[in-house]
Amino acid sequence: MKNMGTWQRSAVAAAAGAGLLVLSACGGETGDAAVGKTLVAANYGGVVGEALKQELEAPYTAVSGTRFQQVNVGTGFAAKLQAQAQSGNVTWDVIEGLSGADSAQLHELRLLEPLSPELKARLEKVSLPGTVTDYGVGLAETGYIIACNTATVAKCPADPAQFWDTAAFPGRRAIPDNAAAMLATALVADGVRAQDVFPVDVKRAFTSMAKIKPHVAVWTTSGDQQMQVMRDRQVDMSIMWNGRAKALMDQGVKLRLEWSGSLVNPNYMVVVKGAPNAAEAMRYLEWYATQPQAQARLAKRFAYGMSNVETGKYLTKSEAALLPDAHADDNQVRLDSQWWLSNRKAVEQPWRELVGG
């Protein structure tokens, strides 16, 4: 997203007009034919859910007549979808932002609807390299960054190594309860360069995590909780999603953000296998992927990276600077979803023991 311009927010009617062309081109239903349908959309909820409702779901409803029922999942998407599949009662149609690790896991379990070769080819033409997979399209590339409350912290750690240095940088800490992301971050804290983090040295990563564990006041399990513990000053500093940090600052909380050594986790819009409205959900996925102005509105609101190659044209330089892509050269780690898929079972139990012990 290096090609930046001044973004002017489009009216919902304008987005709907553009969307009609997209849906017609791919044989989608419009107007009365789609009236009465309801897509069950699972997402992270909170400010992200509200942004998705306003910037994607409402414009798509204006195009298609399809309504939405949101499910605030928070975290644990993979386990919850597996439970639905095992019970034979799949209720979600689409997931608006499934992490790279969960996406790879659910794809392997055949719980995600694959993109047809034709659809994948169409999406790759309008998307940034690497943002289209066999099962989805990029929605909200998330950066795990360090955020400090400037009202309570005199010195903010500039990178994971300093975050681990509790003597030089005192303060109550929060860390996400996420093994895939935090084992990688623990290696950066221990001096491993970003390009050498994967494959993860599991023993070294857990040794590093053991050093910071006594100083972790809260293991956060959702984006809402990340915001709450910082807003309520339960902690002074946190490793958290960059979009949630931006949302806090938009609410008036004064934070200092540090990107060095951050970890980036791709998220995807995916359609659930066996979903009650899978065909309509797939049309919604394609509509999203081909709407750079709608993606820019999302990026403006919660500073996550999007998929369309044209999205950057609708962001100002300052807005683009808040996206993970702007910090790619700052010792940034990209989550290796395939590594997590291959090693998940081996590290999940020791991680649970670490957090809960």
Side-chain angles (χ1 to χ4, degrees):
M1 293 191 180
K2 303 299 183 184
N3 185 15
M4 304 305 164
T6 301
W7 175 73
Q8 298 286 335
R9 176 167 180 164
S10 299
V12 167
L20 282 169
L21 298 177
V22 173
L23 291 179
S24 298
C26 65
E29 296 171 333
T30 61
D32 293 341
V35 171
K37 287 189 177 180
T38 299
L39 289 181
V40 177
N43 58 51
Y44 290 105
V47 294
V48 171
E50 187 62 29
L52 289 165
K53 181 184 300 181
Q54 294 176 3
E55 310 300 357
L56 294 188
E57 294 173 5
Y60 188 75
T61 297
V63 171
S64 65
T66 296
R67 300 180 180 87
F68 288 82
Q69 175 189 337
Q70 282 198 4
V71 178
N72 182 346
V73 179
T75 56
F77 286 84
K80 292 170 185 175
L81 185 55
Q82 287 181 75
Q84 289 184 28
Q86 290 168 2
S87 69
N89 184 30
V90 174
T91 59
W92 299 348
D93 292 306
V94 62
I95 303 177
E96 298 170 315
L98 183 67
S99 75
D102 282 350
S103 296
Q105 178 183 343
L106 292 174
H107 174 62
E108 183 183 63
L109 295 172
R110 300 184 180 180
L111 296 180
L112 301 181
E113 193 70 39
L115 306 185
S116 70
E118 297 79 13
L119 175 57
K120 184 179 180 184
R122 289 200 299 271
L123 298 190
E124 287 178 333
K125 288 181 180 179
V126 299
S127 303
L128 293 166
T131 59
V132 178
T133 69
D134 290 338
Y135 47 79
V137 61
L139 192 165
E141 187 174 72
T142 306
Y144 285 77
I145 64 170
I146 295 170
C148 296
N149 188 326
T150 58
T152 64
V153 173
K155 295 192 301 179
C156 185
D159 55 32
Q162 292 187 358
F163 192 91
W164 257 240
D165 188 349
T166 58
F169 299 89
R172 297 159 297 174
R173 285 157 162 77
I175 287 180
D177 183 359
N178 184 307
M182 289 303 103
L183 289 177
T185 301
L187 288 180
V188 176
D190 200 44
V192 178
R193 296 180 304 171
Q195 63 266 34
D196 298 327
V197 165
F198 288 98
V200 170
D201 182 333
V202 174
K203 181 178 180 180
R204 182 173 177 179
F206 272 105
T207 298
S208 179
M209 285 302 309
K211 295 176 183 177
I212 194 64
K213 176 187 172 180
H215 307 282
V216 179
V218 181
W219 298 90
T220 53
T221 59
S222 70
D224 284 351
Q225 188 183 22
Q226 290 177 11
M227 295 177 66
Q228 178 188 343
V229 297
M230 290 293 285
R231 185 192 302 113
D232 297 345
R233 298 188 181 183
Q234 295 178 41
V235 298
D236 305 300
M237 61 186 72
S238 176
I239 295 177
M240 64 187 300
W241 300 333
N242 70 292
R244 295 300 181 132
K246 180 184 181 299
L248 276 177
M249 293 190 294
D250 290 343
Q251 294 173 6
V253 180
K254 295 183 179 180
L255 301 179
R256 179 182 177 90
L257 308 184
E258 296 290 352
W259 283 87
S260 180
S262 63
L263 179 135
V264 172
N265 188 11
N267 286 261
Y268 300 94
M269 181 182 286
V270 299
V271 175
V272 176
K273 187 76 172 179
N277 297 292
E280 180 63 13
M282 197 64 76
R283 284 187 281 269
Y284 172 52
L285 180 151
E286 181 167 8
W287 177 88
Y288 156 76
T290 54
Q291 300 295 305
Q293 287 178 293
Q295 292 194 13
R297 293 195 293 270
L298 280 179
K300 180 181 176 67
R301 290 187 62 165
F302 50 67
Y304 292 146
M306 300 297 163
S307 66
N308 195 283
V309 293
E310 301 292 322
T311 299
K313 292 182 178 180
Y314 302 98
L315 298 172
T316 66
K317 186 175 181 179
S318 61
E319 289 163 352
L322 296 173
L323 304 181
D325 180 63
H327 305 273
D329 296 331
D330 198 2
N331 200 37
Q332 186 180 84
V333 180
R334 296 192 67 84
L335 182 69
D336 185 336
S337 298
Q338 191 58 48
W339 180 90
W340 171 248
L341 183 63
S342 301
N343 293 273
R344 175 180 59 84
K345 292 181 180 179
V347 302
E348 277 188 334
Q349 184 57 38
W351 177 264
R352 293 265 57 85
E353 293 172 358
L354 173 86
V355 173

